[in-house]
Amino acid sequence: MSKLDDELAKDENLWRMWREDGVTESTVLAVDFFFYATMKTAAQELADTLRKAGLSKVEVRTTRTLWIFRGWEISAVEEGT
C-alpha cells in the first residue's frame, strides 16, 4: 500500500466518524488561524487583511519572552462549509 493510499484511508475513516456524529457537507465548521509577528505594524496590517478577507474574531495580543523580547500574536477564525 502506498503513502497516498494510507492517507486516503485515514481521510475516509475521519469522514466516516464525522458522518456518524451528524457532520455533512453543509455543516458550518470553524478553522482557527494563529500567526506571530515581531513588529507591531506588521501585526496590525495582517489583522486588517484578515478582517478584509472576511475572517471573524480577529485579535492581536502583545507577548513578551524573557521580559525584553516583545512580539504580537494574531488569531482569527474562518467559518464555512
Side-chain angles (χ1 to χ4, degrees), residues 36 63-71:
Y36 182 83
T63 63
R64 285 209 183 264
T65 54
L66 302 175
W67 294 22
I68 54 174
F69 298 113
R70 190 158 125 183

Side-chain angles (χ1 to χ4, degrees), residues 7-29 80-81:
E7 287 299 317
L8 291 174
K10 289 177 189 176
D11 290 348
E12 190 175 309
N13 286 331
L14 179 61
W15 262 111
R16 182 183 43 76
M17 290 186 301
W18 282 1
R19 295 285 266 184
E20 289 171 0
D21 286 339
V23 176
T24 68
E25 290 84 0
S26 61
T27 301
V28 177
L29 300 173
T81 55

Side-chain angles (χ1 to χ4, degrees), residues 1-10:
M1 190 180 261
S2 71
K3 285 186 179 185
L4 177 60
D5 290 334
D6 289 342
E7 287 299 317
L8 291 174
K10 289 177 189 176

